[in-house]
Amino acid sequence: MESSKITVWQFFVLTLSFLAGTSFFFIPGGLIAVAKQDAWIIPFWAGAAGIAAALIWIRLARQYPGMSIIHICMKVAGKPIGGLLAFLYITYFIQLSVFITRNVGDFMKQTMMPITPLTVFHSMFLVITAYAVIKGIETIARSSELLFIIMALTFVLIFCMALAQWDWNHFQGSFRMNVWESLVETRNIFGFPFLESLVFLMLFPFVQAKVKRSFIWAIIMATALLSLTTFFTIGVLGVTRASHDTYPLFVIAQEVHVGTFFEHLESTIALILLAAIFIKLSIAYYCSVLGLCQLFRISSRFWVTIALILLISGLALGYDNVVENIEFSQRYDFEYTLLYSIFIPCLLLLVSWIRKGWGKRREEPAS
Amino acid sequence: MRPAIRRIALAGLALCCLTGCWDRTEINELAIVGLVGSEENKETGASIVYYQIVNPVAFSQESGKGGTSPVYTYKVEGESRGETGRRSAESLPRKLFTDHYQTHIITEALARKGLRQFVNFYERQYNRRSSLLLFITDSKLSDVMMTYTPLEQLPGRTLRALVHNTNMSTGRISLKSRVKDLVENMESSKCTMLPVISLSDSKPFQTIKRFETIEANRSNLVLSGVAVIKQDRMVGRIGLRDNGYYNLLKGETNTFFQTIKMNNRDIDLFANKIKVKQSLTQAGGVPVWNVKITANLAIHNNEQMEKLTWENLSKLTDEFNREVSETTNQLYKRALKKEWDLFGLADMIKSKRGSAWKAIQDKEEAWKDTRLNLKVTSSVNDVGEIINPYMGGKASGK
Amino acid sequence: MSNQDPRQAQKPSYDRHNPSAFVDWLKDTLHDPPDLMIHSLVITSDIPCYCVFLDTLTDKNKIEQELLAFLSKTDSLEDVHEPKDRMAVIRKRIPFSSIACTDDPKLCADNLLKGYCLVVLCGSPEVMMIQMAQSSKRDVSEPLTESTVRGPQLGFTEELGSNLSLLRKRIKSVHLHIEQTALGMETENHVALLFMDDLAADEVVEEFRKRLHAIKSDSVLDSAYVEEWIQDRTFSPFSTLLSTERPDIVTAHLLEGGVAVIVDGSPIALVGPITLFQFFIAPEDYYQRADIATLLRWVRILSFMLSIFVPALYVAVVSYHQELLPTSLLISIAGQREGVPFPAFVEATIMMVTFEVLREAGLRMPRIAGQAISIVGALVLGQAAVTAGLVSTAMVIVVAITAISNFVAPSYSFGITQRLLQFFYLMMAGAMGLFGVLCGVLFTIVHLASIKSFNVPYLSPIAPVVLSDWKDVLVRVPRPWMKNYPTENHAKKGRRGL
């Protein structure tokens, strides 16, 4: 439907921003609350699991080159069941967009503009994203390339300036984690951000070459970044404060100062966060639109995109505050994502193998 | 038809964005808070907050409205902490803007009662600054809050400057007297030291005539000591000089000032580039806290009547080392006696591993038995402009 | 005349035996304009001849002194007896080079309007047309809008021919390809398409050609007309063609695989494809040392940022996010704003609009009135406005910074882009504070990412990343290091000087 192509580097940037973009902001607080000084180890096993899942997805995509998950579902499981599965995926993408949209609203309302209604943030942000979605994946890829550079530079800048507050004493009492307990407590990190990257099953067909390599590398980089950020948060903020704050990185930026004039850099961190959310949202949004178009054979993205603005901004008001969001993702996110990221792809893979085997056996006697 | 609808939709969306204006506050609708003081009404238990509001007119050059007060202090009383902030609207003509204040004064009585509610309330606010400096006052709060400070007209900034300057010149106040340092120690056994300020006279000078007098010391704010806060409660107070040794031992200062006596003559030494190495070991079931301090010394004043020589300098450093370790040891012992875990020993013991430590960890009060093993080394690297003192009448002899 | 067939009666035709009828017909067709000169003379004693030209378009001296003198002196036609050969003989001897002969009266009328002189000779089957055009042209002068300290000081003029000659003089290569077409039904303007055929990518050239030929317009008065037809995006503040009046810029682009369009009658040439970052490049960058050029480029980028963001950020910070200001600055601004009746957004809008009005007045007014405007301008935007309590001092400085940094833009059209963006961001800041500005920036980035200038992504080489092209984007490396052609134009050759 769309003959766009994205380069390997663009794909890498998209994946990395998707994985690390918002999680570096939302994840460390929760991890530190559970695993204290050792929280920085947790991303590693989550990343390993992410790579394992990625291998399954790539395996599945390799079987059907040039096809998105929607097409694969329909091809493997047939029109009715496959269509249902594809529809499930689309609902997942939409639900993901809703979550990401809500992140914008919550963050803005709590930190910068408390009186403005949430919907205004949502709709404004969605309109911009919709513009990007209508313009297509190439536009999204190019904008993220530019934003990625800006984000990376700002992040490094804040990182360096906050390093002045570093205190090794914050690590007093490391390496005493109860592995199993923290694994269970922090299982949501598997879901967000690693397994969420299953949306890239929609984007594999656009990549020119080396899908596997850049995808795996992006996951590794994201893992390292996440771990580094957590490590950094512990070192700068200390366990006590980091585990109590909703947005520890925001607090770090708030407290950064160079001299007495150059302080209060939280708006820069807000800038990184919003840019990251934008990339992530435009990917999820694009995938939902593309999925709908592919499933129902709609040729123009325009009206689908516009209609989804209303749906997403409506659904984004679905819960009242951050606590509900955090609780939900801690309790159910992992199990929920598992269904889409592991269960269905494995099923599809199995079915396609059986079919292939079946086909071979049928062929053999014939020949 | 369709373009018309599209246009209307676009206009509607644009109008939606205008709701952002609900958050708009012009800068001259704000009451910029420069300093806050809180205490508790002893009779009713209600909390009283003093807001010192900056008067921007006094600081604008063009308006030429000399003779206005640079700050105004409002007193607000409310049942709870949240209510006082809200009730400020009853007496303030502008919107209370607390994002910028960086100094907070608390009465000693309130500090002794506990600061937990204050800290939690403060940390819950998104617009807080955790680099907020906390002060404890032993004077009457209303007087402290209504004191003009000469030279630097914003009292809040004066107080910050006092802390910074003291830290730079004698190291007797640590820069870690912020809310966030208090918060970090909230859940540990470590004590937090907060500076105490007092009014130098009994009665403040409440009009801007104050700026016309040359007597700067008259009813001014001065640092007078340091309050020891254990978790969230003030448990005691030590002098500024003692706090210097505390900061030195804890490695929280880069400067230190010490006067030693040699041959009954004063020598003032200024230590800089201080390096502190701390480690906790155990010997025979007793924890030992090893602290190694190295410092560079600068001679600020030397009343000796002899030329500085190798021998003389080495005697001088020896004396410095001895004096510092003795005084510091005294402070340490005093703290242990008062059950103040100034240095977070209990936490350090808890985070140790190994069977030898197991026994120590089982003892609740083990940290009190901790021995301090202090080693001070120093070298003089700045002797000043003269090596050979002017001897005056005595030396020229006869 | 009598033996005309009916078909010819409808269409005017040239009758070789009756030149005066033809001349009358010309007179009728042009509605007997006052500048139509019809000079009838008799050559070689008995042959009537007419010289027809438009006084206003032609070089009268040349006609009188050379053409008429030549014709009146032709006595050698004596030996040519066949009347229809006379013209051929004259043509052979006449001392002019651009000559055409036709028997199509329509073409005669058209060419008459292009400055040709018609020589109508009784008995000859065709009319001779001699190019005698002389337009009131100005000399090649310094470029007015893009001046440099060092480097060539020549600018294009309105004359296509002299513009082409300026380029020819710079590129002495057989590969310079010039294609000329006439555009505009009424104006019939010549438009030249230039490219290096060994460098410019075929697709890009083809795209240019396609778009040029698709122009359907009655008039093309300036290259701006052409630009509006062939640009990639109509509704975008960003221009996808570089307009310049400097031949050296056009040459440089041609030599990097670009394509140029020059329109007769306009001193501004169009160059494409271009990217956003080329708007930060001034011609001076290449005439100065590389390090200084790099520094100046950064200054230009900085001032671009300043000019689009300063008013917006000021409004956002002062009326939404006061916590971001350092305390002493906050107090100082609060002191200044004490007594200012407007909200910051209104204040900013008033000042910005006033400045735009002033600038427009400065552009349009007669030079003589310049004094008045600078005095009044200083009052409106200066201390007087502050003393009157209408605006704050900080706002005056904000507007001043914005204005000055806006003038840094090397290209005038990019300056206009900046002004549009700065108002857009100001609106967003007024409505939503920093979030609004950020949304505006994201929107701009998406917009930029979606633009392509003749199939070259507008943000390249940053997005998509083309590392080898970075040597002339944020920095300018010294000449000897620029061994390769930039890849963004898809040039046919890789290395320079091969």
Side-chain angles (χ1 to χ4, degrees):
Chain A
M1 173 172 321
E2 193 190 352
S3 61
S4 311
K5 286 267 170 278
I6 50 180
T7 63
V8 179
W9 167 248
Q10 281 172 340
F11 184 65
F12 174 78
V13 166
L14 283 177
T15 319
L16 182 56
S17 320
F18 187 88
L19 286 170
T22 57
S23 51
F24 83 96
F25 198 79
F26 296 111
I27 289 274
L31 291 188
I32 295 169
V34 173
K36 306 286 175 209
Q37 276 87 350
D38 303 313
W40 55 275
I41 305 170
I42 295 176
F44 286 114
W45 65 59
I51 292 175
L55 288 174
I56 298 177
W57 301 334
I58 291 170
R59 183 83 217 213
L60 183 62
R62 285 259 166 96
Q63 301 256 319
Y64 303 94
M67 285 174 127
S68 71
I69 183 76
I70 303 292
H71 284 146
I72 294 175
C73 281
M74 304 228 272
K75 173 138 188 180
V76 173
K79 262 262 165 77
I81 300 173
L84 188 72
L85 286 181
F87 190 73
L88 275 178
Y89 269 105
I90 294 168
T91 52
Y92 178 74
F93 298 151
I94 293 179
Q95 176 259 333
L96 200 60
S97 319
V98 169
F99 264 50
I100 303 167
T101 312
R102 181 56 191 242
N103 283 344
V104 183
D106 278 340
F107 176 73
M108 284 309 297
K109 201 170 167 70
Q110 287 182 3
T111 57
M112 293 182 134
M113 300 171 87
I115 310 174
T116 311
L118 270 176
T119 325
V120 177
F121 298 121
H122 295 167
S123 51
M124 220 162 146
F125 216 72
L126 280 170
V127 166
I128 295 167
T129 321
Y131 180 59
V133 169
I134 291 169
K135 290 290 172 199
I137 187 70
E138 283 191 26
T139 299
I140 295 175
R142 280 200 292 267
S143 348
S144 8
E145 255 180 304
L146 185 68
L147 288 172
F148 181 75
I149 295 175
I150 300 174
M151 275 158 51
L153 288 180
T154 326
F155 188 69
V156 170
L157 189 80
I158 293 181
F159 197 90
C160 293
M161 287 201 285
L163 228 47
Q165 312 271 323
W166 188 268
D167 187 355
W168 280 108
N169 283 336
H170 287 146
F171 287 96
Q172 209 173 55
S174 289
F175 299 111
R176 331 215 144 137
M177 161 167 63
N178 182 336
V179 174
W180 177 247
E181 202 172 284
S182 10
L183 194 73
V184 174
E185 286 279 309
T186 61
R187 67 189 186 282
N188 64 313
I189 192 184
F190 292 107
F192 167 68
F194 289 104
L195 294 188
E196 271 180 6
S197 58
L198 73 99
V199 298
F200 284 92
L201 274 172
M202 292 295 294
L203 301 184
F204 284 148
F206 293 119
V207 192
Q208 281 162 339
K210 293 185 195 158
V211 178
K212 189 170 172 182
R213 219 164 67 203
S214 62
F215 196 60
I216 301 286
W217 266 112
I219 295 179
I220 293 174
M221 279 298 290
T223 309
L225 260 177
L226 209 57
S227 166
L228 187 73
T229 317
T230 314
F231 192 68
F232 172 73
T233 311
I234 299 170
V236 172
L237 213 55
V239 169
T240 323
R241 294 189 63 213
S243 52
H244 286 278
D245 284 319
T246 331
Y247 303 127
L249 263 177
F250 190 74
V251 178
I252 291 181
Q254 246 177 350
E255 289 168 9
V256 160
H257 62 96
V258 178
T260 51
F261 191 82
F262 204 53
E263 49 191 2
H264 258 267
L265 296 176
E266 67 260 39
S267 49
T268 52
I269 207 101
L271 181 129
I272 301 187
L273 180 71
L274 289 183
I277 291 181
F278 168 74
I279 298 178
K280 199 166 173 178
L281 180 59
S282 50
I283 295 170
Y285 197 161
Y286 181 77
C287 290
S288 0
V289 172
L290 193 68
L292 280 174
C293 285
Q294 284 178 351
L295 184 61
F296 298 109
R297 309 228 162 119
I298 306 166
S299 58
S300 148
R301 276 198 303 270
F302 186 81
W303 290 110
V304 180
T305 314
I306 300 292
L308 271 186
I309 293 185
L310 298 177
L311 182 66
I312 294 176
S313 63
L315 285 176
L317 297 174
Y319 52 91
D320 293 332
N321 52 42
V322 205
V323 179
E324 289 178 25
N325 185 358
I326 294 174
E327 288 275 296
F328 173 81
S329 62
Q330 261 168 11
R331 288 194 199 157
Y332 310 112
D333 200 29
F334 173 61
E335 290 81 350
Y336 179 60
T337 325
L338 211 59
L339 171 70
Y340 295 100
S341 57
I342 306 290
F343 185 66
I344 300 182
C346 282
L347 203 69
L348 290 175
L349 212 57
L350 208 68
V351 171
S352 72
W353 272 336
I354 292 171
R355 277 200 169 183
K356 217 177 240 174
W358 197 267
K360 251 188 205 153
R361 217 180 300 158
R362 268 171 133 188
E363 260 170 48
E364 269 165 18
S367 63
Chain B
M1 190 61 189
R2 205 179 257 176
I5 291 177
R6 220 182 274 181
R7 238 168 271 162
I8 290 170
L10 218 67
L13 203 78
L15 279 179
C16 262
C17 297
L18 288 182
T19 51
C21 285
W22 296 349
D23 272 311
R24 191 181 59 81
T25 348
E26 285 306 317
I27 217 165
N28 33 4
E29 291 163 8
L30 295 178
I32 304 163
V33 177
L35 176 65
V36 180
S38 39
E39 66 176 342
E40 204 178 58
N41 192 327
K42 279 186 196 114
E43 283 133 37
T44 59
S47 66
I48 301 173
V49 177
Y50 292 86
Y51 292 106
Q52 204 171 68
I53 311 291
V54 181
N55 175 18
V57 176
F59 292 90
S60 76
Q61 283 151 358
E62 71 214 37
S63 61
K65 284 182 197 156
T68 51
S69 170
V71 285
Y72 297 108
T73 303
Y74 288 85
K75 176 183 173 187
V76 182
E77 190 168 344
E79 288 295 306
S80 67
R81 225 161 273 284
E83 197 192 355
T84 48
R86 294 281 152 195
R87 279 192 69 180
S88 64
E90 291 165 13
S91 55
L92 258 77
R94 293 188 175 183
K95 201 177 146 198
L96 195 68
F97 182 68
T98 51
D99 296 31
H100 262 282
Y101 84 100
Q102 298 191 30
T103 8
H104 197 119
I105 303 177
I106 293 165
T107 52
E108 194 176 332
L110 185 60
R112 284 194 188 273
K113 235 182 132 190
L115 295 171
R116 194 165 47 83
Q117 286 98 343
F118 163 75
V119 166
N120 273 328
F121 175 75
Y122 187 75
E123 285 276 296
R124 178 155 283 119
Q125 316 302 317
Y126 276 102
N127 54 4
R128 74 197 183 276
R129 291 201 171 194
S130 305
S131 53
L132 179 86
L133 279 178
L134 273 181
F135 288 86
I136 308 289
T137 183
D138 51 0
S139 308
K140 209 172 141 205
L141 186 65
S142 61
D143 290 349
V144 171
M145 291 302 292
M146 291 183 197
T147 301
Y148 283 118
T149 50
L151 213 56
E152 176 63 84
Q153 300 194 338
L154 296 178
R157 218 185 279 169
T158 303
L159 292 179
R160 286 180 78 78
L162 291 185
V163 168
H164 279 261
N165 291 345
T166 312
N167 179 270
M168 291 299 284
S169 74
T170 55
R172 284 175 187 172
I173 297 276
S174 163
L175 290 180
K176 294 201 169 182
S177 331
R178 299 159 298 188
V179 173
K180 68 174 183 183
D181 304 307
L182 183 63
V183 172
E184 265 169 37
N185 296 342
M186 280 288 277
E187 289 172 11
S188 79
S189 63
K190 219 191 266 179
C191 292
T192 318
M193 311 298 253
L194 296 179
V196 175
I197 50 158
S198 329
L199 196 62
S200 58
D201 272 326
S202 55
K203 210 57 212 144
F205 205 143
Q206 289 185 342
T207 62
I208 50 163
K209 286 250 166 57
R210 202 256 170 280
F211 295 121
E212 286 167 14
T213 166
I214 191 170
E215 246 184 308
N217 271 359
R218 202 163 134 204
S219 66
N220 201 354
L221 299 175
V222 285
L223 288 174
S224 58
V226 173
V228 181
I229 312 271
K230 193 172 179 184
Q231 285 170 348
D232 67 321
R233 208 169 290 251
M234 175 168 167
V235 290
R237 190 178 156 163
I238 58 173
L240 276 176
R241 190 182 293 267
D242 282 341
N243 198 40
Y245 293 106
Y246 163 78
N247 287 338
L248 181 70
L249 198 55
K250 208 156 169 230
E252 276 183 7
T253 178
N254 259 325
T255 53
F256 182 70
F257 184 81
Q258 173 74 40
T259 306
I260 55 169
K261 271 194 183 328
M262 267 170 76
N263 308 327
N264 255 341
R265 289 181 191 278
D266 282 340
I267 301 172
D268 295 337
L269 293 169
F270 180 73
N272 51 22
K273 250 189 146 180
I274 298 170
K275 285 204 189 94
V276 181
K277 263 193 198 151
Q278 299 156 329
S279 64
L280 195 69
T281 52
Q282 55 102 20
V286 179
V288 181
W289 193 36
N290 305 294
V291 181
K292 236 172 115 180
I293 300 175
T294 49
N296 285 349
L297 299 179
I299 302 177
H300 265 203
N301 180 25
N302 185 0
E303 291 180 357
Q304 287 185 98
M305 293 302 277
E306 51 188 292
K307 190 179 165 187
L308 283 176
T309 56
W310 204 326
E311 290 78 25
N312 191 270
L313 282 177
S314 84
K315 258 203 281 173
L316 194 148
T317 48
D318 285 350
E319 180 61 25
F320 173 83
N321 297 348
R322 194 192 59 77
E323 179 76 35
V324 169
S325 32
E326 249 177 40
T327 329
T328 314
N329 261 313
Q330 278 167 20
L331 171 80
Y332 179 78
K333 289 206 180 100
R334 219 164 58 229
L336 285 191
K337 207 183 272 169
K338 287 195 175 170
E339 306 205 349
W340 298 341
D341 187 5
L342 293 184
F343 307 98
L345 294 172
D347 276 4
M348 274 194 262
I349 292 174
K350 240 186 266 167
S351 65
K352 282 285 174 190
R353 254 173 287 190
S355 52
W357 285 98
K358 204 84 193 149
I360 302 176
Q361 275 159 3
D362 287 343
K363 269 193 287 175
E364 186 69 11
E365 304 277 277
W367 65 272
K368 284 191 205 157
D369 305 329
T370 313
R371 278 207 332 263
L372 174 67
N373 178 16
L374 180 66
K375 197 157 181 272
V376 185
T377 49
S378 57
S379 61
V380 177
N381 65 349
D382 177 3
V383 294
E385 190 67 27
I386 51 171
I387 295 175
N388 218 348
Y390 296 108
M391 300 296 181
K394 262 184 200 163
S396 59
K398 309 162 190 179
Chain C
M1 283 207 98
S2 52
N3 60 353
Q4 272 183 350
D5 64 315
R7 222 194 276 160
Q8 274 173 326
Q10 291 164 352
K11 211 176 133 197
S13 73
Y14 169 62
D15 177 12
R16 59 170 156 164
H17 300 295
N18 191 0
S20 66
F22 173 68
V23 170
D24 287 342
W25 174 81
L26 269 180
K27 216 173 182 177
D28 269 6
T29 320
L30 299 183
H31 308 294
D32 193 12
D35 55 343
L36 180 67
M37 305 297 276
I38 302 169
H39 191 87
S40 64
L41 66 163
V42 176
I43 51 174
T44 45
S45 66
D46 60 338
I47 309 164
C49 173
Y50 292 91
C51 255
V52 186
F53 57 93
L54 281 169
D55 187 17
T56 44
L57 282 180
T58 49
D59 188 347
K60 208 172 168 189
N61 278 341
K62 207 166 148 193
I63 294 176
E64 281 169 357
Q65 286 167 10
E66 295 173 27
L67 181 64
L68 294 184
F70 167 77
L71 287 177
S72 55
K73 270 186 231 151
T74 23
D75 23 83
S76 47
L77 287 183
E78 303 276 342
D79 47 326
V80 184
H81 298 293
E82 198 61 31
K84 61 176 190 231
D85 291 340
R86 283 178 198 144
M87 194 54 112
V89 173
I90 293 183
R91 194 178 171 172
K92 269 181 208 152
R93 297 187 185 160
I94 205 157
F96 297 102
S97 59
S98 50
I99 297 176
C101 289
T102 181
D103 62 345
D104 179 9
K106 179 87 180 44
L107 188 64
C108 290
D110 284 351
N111 279 349
L112 195 60
L113 289 169
K114 286 178 187 163
Y116 281 75
C117 174
L118 306 186
V119 178
V120 187
L121 205 61
C122 186
S124 91
E126 285 180 322
V127 175
M128 183 159 68
M129 302 177 292
I130 308 165
Q131 167 71 281
M132 285 289 177
Q134 181 214 34
S135 56
S136 40
K137 67 174 178 191
R138 66 185 168 97
D139 290 336
V140 172
S141 61
E142 272 183 49
L144 288 174
T145 55
E146 300 160 77
S147 50
T148 56
V149 176
R150 199 177 153 179
Q153 305 285 349
L154 286 179
F156 284 133
T157 64
E158 286 77 4
E159 194 79 12
L160 178 62
S162 72
N163 291 349
L164 290 181
S165 87
L166 283 173
L167 293 174
R168 276 266 190 228
K169 269 184 205 157
R170 274 153 218 277
I171 309 177
K172 298 171 192 76
S173 161
V174 289
H175 295 294
L176 178 61
H177 202 101
I178 304 180
E179 281 177 26
Q180 194 162 316
T181 42
L183 286 181
M185 254 104 79
E186 307 290 334
T187 57
E188 292 257 329
N189 253 33
H190 287 302
V191 175
L193 182 73
L194 290 89
F195 56 93
M196 301 294 289
D197 58 11
D198 60 335
L199 280 177
D202 295 332
E203 312 88 71
V204 176
V205 175
E206 197 42 54
E207 190 67 35
F208 261 96
R209 232 178 250 144
K210 210 175 81 199
R211 292 189 198 175
L212 273 181
H213 291 303
I215 297 180
K216 291 212 167 28
S217 169
D218 60 331
S219 62
V220 172
L221 296 184
D222 188 84
S223 55
Y225 285 50
V226 176
E227 183 177 0
E228 288 210 352
W229 277 97
I230 66 172
Q231 66 194 355
D232 285 75
R233 281 289 181 89
T234 311
F235 293 105
S236 168
F238 295 94
S239 144
T240 43
L241 283 159
L242 182 71
S243 44
T244 176
E245 55 167 336
R246 295 183 62 95
D248 50 330
I249 294 183
V250 175
T251 317
H253 277 274
L254 287 180
L255 291 177
E256 285 186 347
V259 178
V261 174
I262 304 182
V263 178
D264 192 23
S266 166
I268 306 286
L270 302 174
V271 180
I274 53 152
T275 63
L276 176 71
F277 302 100
Q278 281 170 356
F279 284 108
F280 297 110
I281 300 176
E284 196 125 18
D285 284 3
Y286 301 101
Y287 307 137
Q288 270 168 341
R289 289 154 38 81
D291 41 7
I292 289 169
T294 302
L295 196 69
L296 289 180
R297 203 167 276 188
W298 280 95
V299 168
R300 262 175 244 130
I301 292 171
L302 176 75
S303 55
F304 168 71
M305 295 290 174
L306 283 179
S307 90
I308 61 178
F309 287 128
V310 163
L313 287 184
Y314 176 79
V315 167
V317 168
V318 165
S319 49
Y320 287 92
H321 310 284
Q322 291 90 356
E323 69 275 7
L324 298 183
L325 288 169
T327 313
S328 40
L329 189 61
L330 175 79
I331 294 171
S332 153
I333 292 181
Q336 289 167 20
R337 283 193 54 80
E338 205 68 44
V340 173
F342 309 113
F345 172 65
V346 177
E347 194 189 358
T349 317
I350 291 176
M351 289 297 272
M352 302 289 291
V353 170
T354 315
F355 177 68
E356 289 298 319
V357 170
L358 258 181
R359 170 163 25 196
E360 193 60 18
L363 273 180
R364 305 279 161 250
M365 69 179 182
R367 288 271 149 77
I368 314 157
Q371 197 87 38
I373 228 154
S374 49
I375 294 171
V376 174
L379 285 182
V380 180
L381 290 179
Q383 192 59 37
V386 175
T387 330
L390 291 178
V391 292
S392 60
T393 328
M395 194 64 233
V396 173
I397 292 170
V398 164
V399 172
I401 290 177
T402 316
I404 292 176
S405 40
N406 195 354
F407 287 124
V408 173
S411 155
Y412 186 72
S413 66
F414 196 53
I416 294 171
T417 307
Q418 290 180 11
R419 274 146 75 184
L420 288 175
L421 284 181
Q422 118 203 347
F423 276 101
F424 170 58
Y425 291 144
L426 184 61
M427 302 280 194
M428 296 301 272
M432 296 283 285
L434 276 185
F435 181 74
V437 178
L438 199 79
C439 283
V441 172
L442 283 179
F443 191 81
T444 318
I445 288 179
V446 172
H447 177 72
L448 283 171
S450 74
I451 300 179
K452 280 184 169 183
S453 161
F454 295 90
N455 285 332
V456 174
Y458 204 52
L459 282 179
S460 69
I462 306 280
V465 172
V466 185
L467 279 179
S468 64
D469 285 1
W470 283 27
K471 59 184 178 290
D472 195 16
V473 177
L474 297 178
V475 295
R476 173 172 92 71
V477 298
R479 268 278 141 192
W481 297 1
M482 292 194 196
K483 287 201 180 98
N484 296 328
Y485 286 108
T487 52
E488 63 198 23
N489 290 351
H490 308 292
K492 283 181 191 160
K493 287 202 285 191
R495 289 174 72 85
R496 287 173 199 266
L498 280 179

